[in-house]
């Protein structure tokens, strides 16, 4: 039932499953001798299957790769024979991606996997534009810090993130490549994740790790085939659908929709033979349980007679506001052990009460004229997405933003009101260790910017360190104050937590 394939052409170990002219560390120099990537791309082209090529930017084998001891997925010390030269390595990376984009005809995307450096380090925008110049239709993920879609890994967002998204996970509980004896997720668990991802309007990328001879382990094969059989019956509720998250969630139910049909995915069989649908403002013309021959009925979910539906899907006399619908009667036991899908057909696009992302409420903070004013992160608006679709969140006591993954486009914004004009010293309060200090943060307010590097904690009793950034002048009235990173530790992290910005009157 898969609609596209993503192949690992090179992982962090640097070994290429394609015939690169830029390295000898490749599959064509093994007894296999053949270009595995080229053969799979050609097979996909013959069969109309879309093919995306995964390429890891980090490379533990290439002598010019610059390792940073302590950084995510990098060597703790330089390996033997290292000749660190970052510009040379950038050119090598770009050359290999050019090979993938030009040697095999049409490909459908490039899937990066190097989240722990900056866009400037990976030259992400330049690579993106190069890929599009050779393959204009190809999609590019976000892990070179510039791309078309986000890639949450082994996690599913609780609510729609509002951006193009592909969630990736593996059939195996541990690891991505083949590991003998690794536990496998059950088909019900994989389908639940698949359906949850679909209900958010996202794609689901499910991994298998082939054995050394290229075959897929029997347990992983069995799971793919079971999902495929489920899709033979229920695929219309997944393919080319939109995500559909109700404002009033139905327990154990996820939803998708296409045109004038709403699909209800039953992750667990309902407790009653009539399923309540509180989020519908339209009356369906037909209701069916996919794969079953008999139509279901629809009725008013209150005491009183069932509604009769006319040919236009209208229910004469249906009350507005406080009524709800029910569909059923459902069989006493589910037809199969896997999730069932109820399809509701409407004469026109249905009226649905869907989840709406709330607009953040930002409190206007009055600046004290004679004492420091602390702008806590709990009073700010948080905007933007980091790699893998991650957003900034506030938690803890005192409230902080834990910034393990940040992007240069993410901002923290306060609204302030100044009643006394004058100069104000700007400082930030952070919790940062000695090894991760040095990220550069900027504060913009009233057309002025002050910036500076973060400093390590120095044994403060409350665990929070104050770093002075500079002085700004404020006039009377409301102002927008924005904190945004200019440089991040290892390209993706503040290296700790952000508590607040402090404004202190006086030069």
């Amino acid at each position: 039932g898969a609609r596209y394939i993503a192949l690992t052409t090179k992982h962090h170990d640097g070994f290429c499953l394609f015939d690169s002219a830029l390295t000898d560390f490749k599959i064509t120099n093994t007894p296999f001798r053949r270009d595995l990537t080229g053969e799979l791309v050609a097979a996909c082209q013959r069969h109309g299957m879309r093919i995306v090529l995964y390429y890891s930017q980090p490379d533990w084998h290439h002598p010019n790769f610059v390792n940073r001891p302590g950084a995510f997925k990098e060597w703790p010390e330089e390996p033997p024979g290292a000749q660190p030269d970052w510009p040379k390595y950038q050119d090598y990376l770009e050359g290999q991606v050019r090979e993938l984009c030009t040697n095999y005809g049409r490909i459908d995307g490039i899937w990066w996997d190097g989240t722990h450096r900056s866009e400037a380090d990976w030259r992400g925008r330049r690579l993106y534009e190069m890929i599009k110049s050779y393959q204009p239709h190809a999609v590019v993920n976000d892990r070179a810090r510039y791309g078309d879609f986000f890639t949450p890994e082994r996690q599913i967002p609780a609510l729609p993130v509002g951006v193009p998204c592909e969630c990736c996970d593996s059939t195996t509980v541990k690891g991505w490549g083949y590991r003998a004896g690794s536990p496998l997720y059950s088909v019900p668990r994989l389908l639940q994740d698949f359906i949850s991802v679909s209900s958010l309007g996202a794609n689901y990328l499910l991994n298998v790790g082939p054995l050394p001879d290229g075959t897929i382990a029997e347990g992983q094969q069995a799971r793919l085939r079971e999902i495929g059989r489920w899709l033979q019956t229920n695929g219309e509720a997944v393919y080319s659908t939109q995500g559909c998250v109700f404002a009033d969630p139905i327990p154990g139910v996820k939803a998708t929709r296409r045109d004038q049909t709403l699909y209800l995915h039953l992750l667990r069989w309902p407790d009653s033979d009539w399923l309540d649908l509180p989020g519908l403002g339209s009356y369906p013309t037909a209701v069916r349980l996919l794969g079953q021959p008999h139509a279901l009925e629809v009725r008013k979910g209150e005491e009183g007679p069932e509604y009769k539906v006319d040919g236009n899907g209208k229910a004469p006399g249906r009350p507005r506001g406080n009524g709800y619908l029910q569909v059923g009667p459902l069989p006493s036991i589910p037809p199969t052990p896997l999730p069932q899908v109820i399809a509701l057909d409407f004469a026109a696009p249905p009226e649905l009460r869907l989840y709406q992302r709330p607009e953040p409420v930002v409190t206007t903070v009055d600046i004290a004229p004679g004492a420091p004013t602390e702008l806590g992160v709990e009073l700010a608006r948080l905007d933007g997405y980091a790699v893998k679709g991650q957003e900034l969140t506030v938690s803890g006591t005192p409230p902080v933003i834990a910034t393990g993954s940040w992007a240069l486009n993410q901002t923290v914004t306060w609204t302030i009101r100044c009643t006394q004009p004058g100069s104000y010293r700007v400082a930030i309060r952070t919790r940062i260790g000695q090894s991760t200090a040095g990220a550069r943060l900027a504060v913009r307010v009233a057309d002025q910017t002050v910036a500076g590097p973060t400093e390590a904690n120095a044994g403060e009793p409350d665990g929070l360190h104050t770093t002075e950034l500079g002085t700004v002048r404020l006039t009377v009235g409301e102002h927008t104050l924005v904190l945004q990173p200019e440089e991040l530790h290892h390209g993706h992290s503040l290296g700790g937590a952000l508590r607040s910005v402090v404004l202190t009157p006086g030069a």
Side-chain angles (χ1 to χ4, degrees):
R3 293 293 176 93
Y4 63 101
I5 292 171
L7 171 71
T8 303
T9 66
K10 179 180 82 74
H11 210 269
H12 308 330
D13 59 1
F15 183 73
C16 297
L17 293 182
F18 61 102
D19 187 20
S20 173
L22 303 178
T23 182
D24 293 331
F25 195 46
K26 57 186 178 180
I27 194 168
T28 48
N29 284 342
T30 71
F32 185 71
R33 295 190 179 276
R34 291 151 43 199
D35 184 337
L36 186 150
T37 297
E39 292 186 14
L40 183 58
V41 171
C44 287
Q45 291 167 348
R46 289 195 303 273
H47 292 277
M49 173 66 77
R50 291 176 179 172
I51 178 74
V52 173
L53 301 181
Y54 167 114
Y55 182 93
S56 164
Q57 305 101 286
D59 192 314
W60 301 333
H61 179 267
H62 198 280
N64 296 142
F65 186 77
V66 179
N67 282 285
R68 297 169 301 172
F72 180 62
K73 291 186 178 178
E74 297 193 17
W75 292 111
E77 57 188 30
E78 288 292 354
Q83 303 170 33
D85 189 320
W86 192 246
K88 280 188 177 180
Y89 181 73
Q90 288 176 313
D91 291 343
Y92 171 76
L93 187 162
E94 183 174 320
Q96 286 210 312
V97 176
R98 184 179 291 107
E99 289 178 325
L100 293 174
C101 289
T102 58
N103 287 356
Y104 303 114
R106 178 187 170 108
I107 62 170
D108 298 287
I110 293 290
W111 212 101
W112 302 117
D113 196 12
T115 62
H116 56 293
R117 289 185 187 252
S118 67
E119 183 276 333
D121 281 342
W122 295 133
R123 300 198 298 204
R125 182 164 189 158
R126 171 172 166 163
L127 289 169
Y128 178 91
E129 291 172 350
M130 181 191 76
I131 293 164
K132 296 288 186 174
S133 71
Y134 294 121
Q135 305 278 353
H137 56 281
V139 294
V140 181
N141 79 340
D142 61 324
R143 298 192 182 188
R145 296 281 170 163
Y146 191 89
D148 298 313
F149 63 98
F150 290 99
T151 52
E153 182 171 320
R154 289 194 183 270
Q155 60 181 329
I156 301 171
L159 294 167
V161 296
V163 291
C165 181
E166 175 197 70
C167 299
C168 58
D169 207 337
S170 181
T171 53
T172 55
V173 177
K174 299 178 180 179
W176 297 83
Y178 177 75
R179 289 178 62 179
S182 177
L184 299 174
Y185 285 118
S186 67
V187 173
R189 159 62 193 270
L190 293 172
L191 270 177
Q192 178 172 311
D193 288 351
F194 182 19
I195 290 166
S196 298
V197 169
S198 298
S199 75
L200 298 174
N203 278 12
Y204 187 55
L205 187 65
L206 182 61
N207 175 75
V208 293
L211 288 125
D213 66 356
T215 59
I216 296 173
E218 289 184 4
Q220 297 182 43
Q221 286 190 42
R223 282 153 177 77
L224 296 185
R225 291 194 170 110
E226 285 294 336
I227 294 171
R229 276 190 281 273
W230 184 87
L231 283 165
Q232 288 175 4
T233 299
N234 301 289
E236 68 169 270
V238 174
Y239 298 127
S240 302
T241 58
Q242 296 174 279
C244 195
V245 178
F246 293 125
D248 304 308
I250 306 172
V253 176
K254 299 290 185 180
T256 55
R257 62 177 292 192
R258 185 199 302 111
D259 301 328
Q260 293 165 203
T261 300
L262 175 69
Y263 298 98
L264 304 177
H265 301 252
L266 309 183
L267 299 183
R268 66 175 180 84
W269 198 240
D271 296 333
S272 165
D273 59 345
W274 287 90
L275 179 66
D276 293 340
L277 305 178
L280 262 64
S282 302
Y283 218 83
T285 57
V287 184
R288 52 204 162 94
L289 191 61
L290 295 188
Q292 302 304 306
H294 303 296
L296 300 178
E297 302 171 26
V298 60
R299 71 183 188 186
K300 179 184 175 184
E302 297 177 335
E303 294 180 4
E306 295 182 10
Y307 284 117
K308 302 298 182 183
V309 183
D310 63 25
N312 295 316
K314 303 296 183 182
R318 177 167 59 88
R320 294 182 179 273
N322 61 358
Y324 67 93
L325 304 180
Q326 293 179 320
V327 295
L330 298 170
S332 59
I333 60 173
T336 71
L338 297 178
Q340 304 296 304
V341 180
I342 298 174
L344 296 88
D345 299 315
F346 297 83
E351 298 175 22
L352 305 172
R353 291 201 299 275
L354 299 179
Y355 166 81
Q356 297 292 325
R357 194 179 184 88
E359 285 292 326
V361 177
V362 179
T363 302
T364 299
V365 182
D366 289 322
I367 303 303
T373 300
E374 184 168 16
L375 306 174
V377 293
E378 70 277 11
L379 303 175
R381 187 180 76 243
L382 312 179
D383 294 303
Y385 297 94
V387 70
K388 303 184 182 180
Q390 294 175 336
E391 299 179 77
L392 298 175
T393 57
V394 174
S395 63
T397 305
V400 297
I401 298 172
T403 53
S405 182
W406 241 21
L408 297 180
N409 67 324
Q410 289 184 297
T411 57
V412 185
T413 302
W414 292 266
T415 299
I416 61 175
R417 181 165 45 227
C418 182
T419 59
Q420 180 172 313
S423 296
Y424 291 80
R425 300 197 310 275
V426 181
I428 53 173
R429 300 195 76 207
T430 56
R431 184 182 298 126
I432 294 176
Q434 186 67 47
S435 63
T436 55
R440 184 174 177 84
L441 300 182
V443 170
R444 302 191 306 272
V445 61
D447 296 324
Q448 302 158 80
T449 301
V450 291
T454 58
E455 299 171 351
N457 288 47
E460 292 85 356
D462 61 359
L464 293 168
H465 181 76
T466 301
T467 301
E468 298 282 346
L469 298 184
T471 301
V472 297
R473 184 162 186 83
L474 300 179
T475 58
V476 172
E478 285 196 0
H479 302 277
T480 298
L481 185 148
V482 180
L483 182 146
Q484 186 171 6
E486 288 186 343
E487 297 176 12
L488 289 168
H489 183 67
H490 287 172
H492 77 294
S493 172
L494 181 63
L498 171 69
R499 167 67 191 114
S500 60
V501 170
V502 180
L503 297 178
T504 304

